[in-house]
Amino acid sequence: MSTTKKIAGAALAAALGVTTLSACGGDAEDKTAGGSDAPKSKTVTLVSHDSFNVTEAVLKEFEQQSGYTVKVLKAGDAGAALNQEILTKGSPRGDVFFGVDNTLLSRALDNGIFTPYEAKGLAEVKPEFQLDKEHRVTPIDSGDICVNYDKAYFADKKIAPPQTLDDLVKPEYKNLLVTENAATSSPGLGFLLATVGKYGDEGWKDYWSKLKDNGVEVVDGWEQAYNERFSGSAGGKKAKGDRPLVVSYASSPPVEVLYAEPQPAEAPTGVATGTCFRQTEFAGLLKGAKNEEGGKALVDFLISKKFQEDMPLQMFVNPVTKDASLPELFTKHGVVVDKPENVAPETIAANREQWVKAWTSLVVK
């Protein structure tokens, strides 16, 4: 399952015909041969899910200041990328792994793929994102999976858009919601976890029974849900989607504005802030990294103010540091989710498979 990432902004940009920048340095490298006189590697490799992105000038500044060349190895969605690192534990493909989120964190930590490292600048990271006290991973970004709504639809029907999970099972929203499969999609899983966080280990099943009775539609992934079935997105309009409610991200409305021509004064979509689950993504120094010092410098860079402020318009996620400011596009067209649902990573790790299996039996079959 892909994250964050993530966020659907990258996929949305692609759906609208926009090419995003792929961050990748050169391949030249002085390999350390193992003796004390051996030259240090000048290349540091970041293994990531496919949605990692950074402005070229920001990356080049880090390379010039640090003396390292950054090589980015994009390895599919977050789940697949993590699986590869677990399989190659001790002989990693790179020096740093970016993209494990709080739904997969315990799996990564239990498999011991990271070397503890307390990053420089960690004091600037907000405490609520620091989930690993042993510093095996460092928080890099956060984003909220939320129900989005088509503003025009609800205005035309003179119906108030839903704001909470409880609202979604009301008769006025029957046959309006499309969500992703929790077994095959990161936002689908996040939405399931939002209901677990809200209603508890028993109550979430009853909630999904009501949601199914109220006509929720389930599709395989975000692309199909947002760009084909959702009536409020640019892609959905072209595809004649007829569902005015979709599980997406809190960052989706700013992205709709960013890539529209001409840009509208107001985002065409809104966010039901009482339906959200918060994802946090982490990076960690891989155990057995060939360039450990370069890896440490790269982790430091990922929580630097320069990278944190570049990140929102590159990966459509929120910074986690106290000193980073959001771009105007986010502050004008985005929303603040004050009380997202959260489930502890260890609870997710212990129950994820059985939750997804139960959800599949209840909703899909």
Side-chain angles (χ1 to χ4, degrees):
M1 287 166 285
S2 86
T3 40
T4 143
K5 291 156 158 230
K6 226 174 154 236
I7 262 180
L12 178 54
L16 296 177
V18 179
T19 302
T20 54
L21 174 68
S22 176
C24 188
D27 291 331
E29 179 178 4
D30 296 322
K31 294 184 178 179
T32 301
S36 59
D37 295 330
K40 292 183 178 180
S41 172
K42 295 299 182 183
T43 295
V44 56
T45 300
L46 177 71
V47 182
S48 172
H49 56 58
D50 286 345
S51 296
F52 178 82
N53 212 32
V54 60
T55 300
E56 186 175 1
V58 172
L59 184 62
K60 288 298 181 186
E61 182 177 330
F62 165 72
E63 291 180 326
Q64 291 170 0
Q65 291 178 352
S66 68
Y68 294 109
T69 297
V70 178
K71 180 179 179 181
V72 179
L73 176 60
K74 294 187 176 182
D77 63 42
L82 176 60
N83 286 342
Q84 284 298 308
E85 292 312 311
I86 291 172
L87 289 172
T88 57
K89 175 183 172 181
S91 299
R93 296 174 294 169
D95 305 300
V96 173
F97 183 84
F98 165 77
V100 60
D101 71 5
N102 48 319
T103 70
L104 297 170
L105 180 59
S106 288
R107 184 160 180 259
L109 298 182
D110 290 346
N111 277 279
I113 65 172
F114 296 118
T115 296
Y117 170 61
E118 186 169 350
K120 295 177 182 177
L122 188 63
E124 286 299 317
V125 174
K126 298 172 185 176
E128 61 264 32
F129 299 118
Q130 298 192 37
L131 301 183
D132 178 36
K133 302 306 181 185
E134 296 179 39
H135 306 303
R136 290 163 292 181
V137 292
T138 301
I140 306 298
D141 67 69
S142 74
D144 294 309
I145 294 170
C146 309
V147 170
N148 284 207
Y149 57 85
D150 178 353
K151 290 181 179 179
Y153 174 90
F154 289 99
D156 290 345
K157 298 293 184 181
K158 295 181 171 52
I159 302 172
Q163 291 300 323
T164 67
L165 290 171
D166 286 344
D167 287 343
L168 295 175
V169 299
K170 294 178 179 178
E172 56 263 44
Y173 306 113
K174 187 176 181 67
N175 298 327
L176 302 187
L177 175 66
V178 57
T179 188
E180 301 84 359
N181 192 318
T184 59
S185 163
S186 180
L189 176 60
F191 187 54
L192 167 58
L193 292 174
T195 65
V196 171
K198 173 69 173 178
Y199 302 107
D201 195 28
E202 293 300 324
W204 72 264
K205 296 176 186 177
D206 181 60
Y207 176 79
W208 275 96
S209 293
K210 294 177 182 178
L211 204 59
K212 184 177 182 180
D213 290 342
N214 214 35
V216 64
E217 179 182 4
V218 178
V219 297
D220 285 341
W222 179 89
E223 180 71 27
Q224 184 181 0
Y226 193 86
N227 282 319
E228 295 180 20
R229 300 297 297 126
F230 179 45
S231 62
S233 68
K237 287 182 173 67
K238 292 178 183 178
K240 301 187 184 304
D242 61 3
R243 293 267 166 163
L245 298 173
V246 65
V247 173
S248 190
Y249 296 88
S251 58
S252 295
V255 179
E256 287 288 343
V257 173
L258 178 63
Y259 293 119
E261 293 183 1
Q263 288 190 356
E266 181 181 322
T269 59
V271 175
T273 56
T275 65
C276 304
F277 175 80
R278 179 154 294 169
Q279 279 184 319
T280 302
E281 284 192 307
F282 302 83
L285 183 66
L286 286 164
K287 186 172 292 185
K290 293 179 181 178
N291 187 354
E292 187 168 300
E293 290 307 308
K296 291 177 179 179
L298 183 56
V299 173
D300 295 344
F301 166 66
L302 294 177
I303 58 171
S304 68
K305 185 176 182 180
K306 179 75 72 172
F307 181 84
Q308 289 281 304
E309 292 190 337
D310 180 65
M311 199 168 51
L313 293 182
Q314 298 303 315
M315 295 191 285
F316 307 101
V317 291
N318 295 312
V320 294
T321 57
K322 304 168 189 174
D323 61 345
S325 300
L326 282 170
E328 183 181 4
L329 185 78
F330 270 56
T331 57
K332 184 176 181 180
H333 300 290
V335 298
V336 175
V337 181
D338 291 323
K339 296 181 179 180
E341 297 298 336
N342 284 291
V343 181
E346 57 271 19
T347 304
I348 296 173
N351 296 281
R352 180 175 55 243
E353 290 187 13
Q354 67 184 49
W355 285 339
V356 170
K357 184 177 180 179
W359 179 89
T360 302
S361 297
L362 181 65
V363 181
V364 179
K365 294 182 178 180

